[in-house]
Amino acid sequence: MKEYLNHILAQISVELNTVDIEECNISMDEAIRMIEFLQSVLRELRERFLQCNSISIQDEIHFFKETKPRILSWLLYFNKVYTIELKRPNGSNIIQKNYYENELDSLTFYFNRNLDFYQYYRSCSTHLDEFYFVRGKINIRLCVDSSMFISDTKFSTGYDFKAAKILSNEILRIYLNKRLQHVDRVCGYGCESSPGRLRNKWTGSKAAAIELGYGLYAARVIDNGNADIRDIMMGIEKLLT
């Protein structure tokens, strides 16, 4: 099983390298491809795991505390990225900025709702591992979510999903902050927020600047072609002034 897990993790690493995760420049098609790939990985992983005739308590804890959440977190991440971009409003960049900020707020809301478990998991505590990461050990006194009662009890403890959600939200936070920075650049915000930063000056004609703005809009090279012409021209105006 260990050799198989190493193979799976290596395969996931190869697939992740095909997506621009560092700059968070992920298209919806790429997100769907990664979702389908990770779904197939988890299905195969479930079959392999259930074929194990015997598994020690420590191995089971490690699987549901470390291995499965590591894989599931990427599935949750790409699914959320796809959902966010699918529902992203097609209005001005101010509206999009508010949209991304609301998504960031939802991460904080989830963190506050699961603060006890988050602190336990992030502090690498182990004294409750047999209740959190061993199947059939659900304890109502540990603030059980109702979703645990309908989860796959053969391949989940309930808390492996929460662990994956914590990992996923940390990557998602980076994604949302990157998107906000991108919106700021398009709007022309933040040009004066960096002390000592060299500011370039437009030395061409105003007509040439306007033509540049329309050219950028027509080429659909900003925000995957979803940038509003008004926002682009606001950026051009900022450059002129």
Side-chain angles (χ1 to χ4, degrees):
M1 185 67 177
K2 186 175 181 180
E3 184 176 337
Y4 169 74
L5 289 176
N6 290 335
H7 169 72
I8 287 295
L9 293 175
Q11 189 177 2
I12 292 173
S13 179
V14 170
E15 290 296 326
L16 290 175
N17 286 333
T18 66
V19 183
D20 190 358
I21 294 176
E22 184 175 348
E23 292 301 321
C24 300
N25 187 21
I26 303 170
S27 69
M28 293 176 67
D29 288 340
E30 288 175 324
I32 290 177
R33 177 175 60 82
M34 291 302 299
I35 291 169
E36 292 174 344
F37 165 70
L38 291 164
Q39 280 182 315
S40 66
V41 167
L42 283 169
R43 281 194 297 267
E44 184 178 341
L45 181 62
R46 181 184 185 277
E47 292 177 5
R48 290 292 191 103
F49 181 80
L50 296 181
Q51 287 174 2
C52 295
N53 295 325
S54 61
I55 183 171
S56 68
I57 294 295
Q58 289 304 313
D59 285 342
E60 184 168 351
I61 289 173
H62 184 269
F63 181 82
F64 288 110
K65 187 177 184 179
E66 304 292 341
T67 306
K68 186 186 172 187
R70 182 176 172 184
I71 300 172
L72 181 58
S73 66
W74 284 113
L75 175 58
L76 298 178
Y77 169 75
F78 284 109
N79 184 62
K80 188 63 177 177
V81 166
Y82 175 76
T83 303
I84 288 173
E85 296 306 324
L86 183 67
K87 296 181 178 180
R88 179 167 55 85
N90 199 24
S92 68
N93 280 328
I94 301 298
I95 293 175
Q96 294 187 37
K97 182 180 176 72
N98 291 334
Y99 175 71
Y100 286 127
E101 287 175 341
N102 288 335
E103 290 294 334
L104 272 173
D105 289 342
S106 71
L107 300 186
T108 303
F109 178 74
Y110 185 86
F111 166 78
N112 290 332
R113 283 192 62 185
N114 298 277
L115 182 59
D116 290 342
F117 180 74
Y118 188 94
Q119 290 174 334
Y120 177 87
Y121 188 75
R122 271 306 176 206
S123 64
C124 298
S125 299
T126 59
H127 59 283
L128 293 175
D129 278 2
E130 288 196 28
F131 294 101
Y132 284 142
F133 302 111
V134 175
R135 292 165 295 173
K137 294 280 189 176
I138 293 179
N139 189 328
I140 303 300
R141 293 180 176 84
L142 294 177
C143 300
V144 175
D145 288 343
S146 57
S147 61
M148 294 185 185
F149 298 117
I150 59 173
S151 62
D152 183 352
T153 55
K154 292 183 179 180
F155 191 59
S156 176
T157 69
Y159 288 95
D160 56 301
F161 178 85
K162 280 193 173 186
K165 189 74 172 174
I166 288 172
L167 298 175
S168 172
N169 283 354
E170 291 183 353
I171 316 169
L172 194 60
R173 175 181 56 80
I174 298 172
Y175 175 85
L176 290 169
N177 280 314
K178 287 276 189 178
R179 299 309 297 165
L180 281 169
Q181 291 172 12
H182 175 75
V183 172
D184 284 348
R185 286 197 299 270
V186 173
C187 290
Y189 299 155
C191 291
E192 299 175 358
S193 61
S194 301
R197 180 180 176 182
L198 178 63
R199 297 184 61 188
N200 295 323
K201 181 179 179 180
W202 178 262
T203 56
S205 67
K206 184 175 181 179
I210 293 173
E211 288 180 8
L212 173 63
Y214 280 107
L216 292 172
Y217 176 73
R220 302 177 66 84
V221 294
I222 297 179
D223 200 15
N224 293 319
N226 295 314
D228 190 90
I229 184 61
R230 290 171 298 179
D231 296 320
I232 294 176
M233 297 313 292
M234 282 175 58
I236 295 294
E237 184 178 356
K238 186 82 173 180
L239 183 63
L240 290 173
T241 57

